[in-house]
Amino acid sequence: VCSSDLDKIYTKRIWQTHAISTPAYAVVKNQDDLDGLEQCLGFPMILKPPHEGSTIGITKVNNREELLAAYQTAAKFDDVVLAEQFIQGRELTIAILGKGREAKALPIVEIIAPQGNYDYQNKYFTDDTQYVCPADFPSALTEKIQAMAVAAYNALECEGWARVDALVRESDQQVFLLEINTSPGMTGHSLVPMAARAIKLSYEDLCVQLISAASL
């Protein structure tokens, strides 16, 4: 685990100190802070609670009129709200196993959700979301994304396993890391086991590997 587990704001701050690409952001402490967001981030933008997972409390904000409702939705779950630049692009997740120099990225999973909306409903209650593993990228871009994910994992001093969420912007193929989940789902249908299967690592062997690493 790592100290920034599910704290999206501190995760981004640490990544920035390591020159790891992440969308521009602002911390919203109260409604008065909404006034400067358009100039800072532009529309559309994302508002989210920084300590929640599973896309809970997240809203895509398209204009000034939607800001207050989005803030109120996120503020139900947290004392502060994270406002983030919206990146139009392909949505990915990269599982990392190991520690330090031994940390390695598994094959990239691309998430293709209906209307590009990978929300709580499309994560857990529909069969409409598609998962492509390994994601179809040129080898150089694949290696870049995986290297960035490992660097982000190590910057947070993570160990064991985690999953880094990322976007590749459509306009220029620039990679942005969004957040890290240091306790990702580990059912047989979860994304980390899916990535492991792509390198012929069975669910059982994956679990044994994680348990063995934890005992060291």
Side-chain angles (χ1 to χ4, degrees):
V1 298
C2 63
S3 59
S4 56
D5 186 19
L6 288 182
D7 190 321
K8 297 174 175 61
I9 294 171
Y10 279 96
T11 292
K12 290 170 78 70
R13 288 174 177 167
I14 292 170
W15 284 350
Q16 286 180 327
T17 65
H18 287 77
I20 294 168
S21 175
T22 187
Y25 73 99
V27 179
V28 183
K29 297 180 180 178
N30 52 56
Q31 292 185 22
D32 292 340
D33 290 342
L34 298 175
D35 293 339
L37 290 182
E38 181 178 2
Q39 183 177 2
C40 177
L41 302 174
F43 292 114
M45 69 178 74
I46 300 293
L47 263 61
K48 63 178 78 170
H51 298 95
E52 286 292 336
S54 298
T55 63
I56 292 171
I58 292 182
T59 305
K60 180 182 176 183
V61 181
N62 296 294
N63 52 58
R64 190 177 304 174
E65 289 70 30
E66 296 175 359
L67 268 176
L68 179 58
Y71 168 76
Q72 291 172 336
T73 295
K76 292 176 184 177
F77 302 96
D78 232 319
D79 294 333
V80 297
V81 170
L82 172 61
E84 190 173 58
Q85 172 193 17
F86 175 75
I87 304 296
Q88 181 67 47
R90 296 168 65 177
E91 189 164 358
L92 317 171
T93 194
I94 308 98
I96 312 293
L97 304 180
K99 178 181 179 181
R101 294 181 179 179
E102 302 301 317
K104 297 186 183 302
L106 295 181
I108 300 167
V109 179
E110 181 173 8
I111 301 161
I112 306 173
Q115 290 78 53
N117 185 22
Y118 193 47
D119 59 7
Y120 192 86
Q121 179 71 20
N122 285 326
K123 276 188 177 182
Y124 299 113
F125 297 109
T126 73
D127 295 321
D128 297 328
T129 299
Q130 301 175 50
Y131 302 95
V132 180
C133 184
D136 185 15
F137 288 107
S139 58
L141 183 53
T142 294
E143 291 170 6
K144 176 181 177 180
I145 295 166
Q146 291 175 316
M148 285 180 64
V150 171
Y153 176 91
N154 284 332
L156 298 169
E157 299 184 357
C158 295
E159 57 184 80
W161 87 108
R163 213 186 65 231
V164 178
D165 295 335
L167 288 165
V168 175
R169 188 160 60 189
E170 288 180 356
S171 61
D172 59 4
Q173 301 299 292
Q174 183 174 344
V175 182
F176 295 85
L177 303 191
L178 298 176
E179 57 194 62
I180 191 166
N181 185 340
T182 57
S183 299
M186 280 295 293
T187 72
H189 300 286
S190 297
L191 299 182
V192 174
M194 179 187 298
R197 286 195 296 273
I199 57 168
K200 311 300 183 184
L201 180 61
S202 70
Y203 179 77
E204 294 79 8
D205 288 342
L206 172 63
C207 290
V208 168
Q209 180 173 322
L210 294 176
I211 293 169
S212 298
S215 66
L216 297 177

